[in-house]
Amino acid sequence: MGSRAAGDPSVRWVDEKRRENMKIAFIGLGNMGGGMAANLVKAGHSVNAFDLSPEARGSAESGGCDAYDDAERACEGVDAVVTMLPNGEIVKAVYENDVFGHAPEGAVLLDCSTIDVATAKEVIAKAEAAGYDMVDAPVSGGIAAANGGTLTFMVGGTEKAFARAEEVLQAMGKAVIHAGDAGAGQTAKICNNMLLAISMIGTAEAMKMAEKLGLDPQKFYEISSQSSGYCWSLNAYTPMPGVGVESPADNDYQGGFATALMLKDLRLAMDAAQDVDATTVLGAKATEIYEKLAEEHGALDFSSVIKTL
Ligand code: NAD
C-alpha cells in the first residue's frame, strides 16, 4: 500500500475503495454488467466473468476480467458473486443451479438485476439457508453510469450483508443506500420508476397543452421549472426537443432509458401492487400508455411518450 496524503479527501476515497482486493464472480455481462465488471477490475479486484454470450465474455476479457465458459467454475473460490441478469426467473435459476453450492460458503452474493420483489426475497432466503449473506441491489442509472462507475445502488438485506456488499458496490457506483430488509432494494426501484413514469407523462401532457394553448413551450419550461411544477422529468430530462435542458429528446429520443425497460419496471410495480393490494390508479394508467408506446417504439427513450399526445 502506498502512503496517503493526510487530509486529502480524494486520496482517502480511492484508498477506501481499494481497502481489500477480492476475487469476485460476475454473471451477466450485457449492456450494464459489462461496464460494471470492468469497474471492479479497475478498483483492483480480480473478476471471474461469465455470460451465455461468447461475445460478452470476449469484451469482459478485454476489460481485464478472466472469462469463464461455465458459471459454476467461475464461482469457485470467490469472496463475492455479482449478477446482472434480465429477469427474476433467470436470476433464480442461476443462483439455484450455478451459485449455491459452488461459491464457497460464506461468500457474499449481490443481485443487481431489476426483478420482482417476491423472487428477490425467495432467492435471498434460500441463500441464507445455504450459508451465504445476500442482498438485492438494483441500480438507478443507465449504461453510461454503469460504464462510468456512477450508478446508485438501492440495497435490501441484513446489516451484515449490506456492510459486506457495500465494499463491492462502491467500486461500481457513486451512492450505495441501505433501503431495508431483503427485497427493499427492488421495492425502492419499482416505486421510484413508477413515480418517474407518471411524472414524465404529466410533464409531457402539460407541455403539449401549454403549446396548444399558444404558450411558448420554452416560456412554460422557464416558469414551471421554477414553480410548483418543478420535477426531475421537467427540470433534468425535458421531453420536448429544443426546450429546457439537453436530453434524449434532442437526439430524436435515441439513447437514454428505453421504453421497453420502463415498461418492464412498470409491470413489476403492478404485480407488486397487486400482491399487497396497493391502490395505483395512475401507475396502472402509465403502464397502459407505455404498453402502447412499446408496441412500436420500445427502443426509444421513455420520454418519447410525448409523441403520443
Ligand atoms: P442485457 O440484456 O444487455 O444483459 C443481460 C445479460 O445476461 C446478457 O448478456 C445475457 O446473455 C446474459 N444472460 C442471460 N441469461 C444468462 C444466464 N443464464 N447466465 C449467464 N448470463 C445470462 O441487459 P442489461 O441492459 O444489461 O440489463 C441487466 C439488468 O439491469 C436488467 O435486470 C435490467 O432491468 C437492469 N437495468 C438496466 C438498465 C439499462 O439502462 N440497460 C438500467 C437499470 C437497470
Side-chain angles (χ1 to χ4, degrees):
M1 279 275 173
S3 63
R4 89 180 171 208
D8 180 343
S10 65
V11 174
R12 189 167 62 245
W13 182 77
V14 171
D15 201 41
E16 269 172 15
K17 280 198 167 191
R18 290 174 174 249
R19 211 162 39 216
E20 196 188 316
N21 293 345
M22 286 185 267
K23 198 171 193 37
I24 300 171
F26 202 112
I27 304 175
L29 309 160
N31 289 324
M32 299 291 288
M36 291 164 71
N39 283 326
L40 289 174
V41 172
K42 279 188 206 146
H45 301 301
S46 103
V47 177
N48 295 352
F50 175 73
D51 193 289
L52 292 178
S53 144
E55 290 78 28
R57 295 201 294 270
S59 308
E61 207 152 29
S62 319
C65 300
D66 298 313
Y68 281 69
D69 51 17
D70 137 16
E72 297 172 10
R73 279 203 315 115
C75 290
E76 283 170 12
V78 298
D79 305 298
V81 178
V82 182
T83 47
M84 193 56 168
L85 294 160
N87 60 50
E89 210 177 309
I90 294 175
V91 166
K92 192 169 164 218
V94 164
Y95 278 94
E96 290 183 357
N97 302 332
D98 303 327
V99 180
F100 298 158
H102 299 284
E105 201 173 306
V108 60
L109 314 179
L110 302 85
D111 179 38
C112 297
S113 330
T114 302
I115 67 168
D116 61 287
V117 177
T119 302
K121 287 183 179 174
E122 184 190 337
V123 175
I124 292 178
K126 284 186 176 157
E128 288 172 350
Y132 301 99
D133 285 321
M134 181 167 182
V135 295
D136 55 301
V139 307
S140 173
I143 299 163
N147 290 336
T150 57
L151 294 166
T152 294
F153 291 93
M154 31 209 123
V155 188
T158 62
E159 289 287 349
K160 178 170 166 251
F162 173 73
R164 296 186 65 202
E166 195 179 9
E167 201 176 336
V168 178
L169 297 174
Q170 273 174 354
M172 302 184 284
K174 65 171 165 45
V176 181
I177 301 160
H178 192 190
D181 294 338
Q186 300 295 351
T187 299
K189 165 93 187 175
I190 56 172
C191 292
N192 177 74
N193 280 15
M194 182 178 79
L195 173 58
L196 173 61
I198 294 167
S199 88
M200 183 53 81
I201 295 167
T203 299
E205 281 187 1
M207 292 190 86
K208 287 302 276 187
M209 182 169 143
E211 188 180 42
K212 284 188 176 171
L213 287 167
L215 181 60
D216 174 4
Q218 179 63 25
K219 275 287 160 222
F220 174 71
Y221 165 81
E222 282 167 25
I223 294 163
S224 196
S225 65
Q226 300 182 73
S227 305
S228 44
Y230 170 108
C231 66
W232 189 87
S233 297
L234 177 67
N235 290 49
Y237 214 85
T238 328
M240 196 178 266
V243 180
V245 295
E246 201 175 333
S247 71
D250 298 303
N251 193 26
D252 216 6
Y253 302 97
Q254 305 293 325
F257 182 42
T259 292
L261 286 174
M262 175 55 96
L263 179 58
K264 171 192 168 182
D265 293 356
L266 280 168
R267 285 178 171 152
L268 291 173
M270 290 306 96
D271 288 347
Q274 203 174 7
D275 286 348
V276 294
D277 202 16
T279 304
T280 53
V281 178
L282 294 183
K285 192 68 199 169
T287 307
E288 220 177 88
I289 290 170
Y290 276 103
E291 264 164 2
K292 224 158 146 197
L293 181 63
E295 276 169 19
E296 285 189 32
H297 301 295
L300 291 187
D301 181 73
F302 78 111
S303 65
S304 63
V305 72
I306 197 167
K307 298 214 287 189
T308 66
L309 303 175

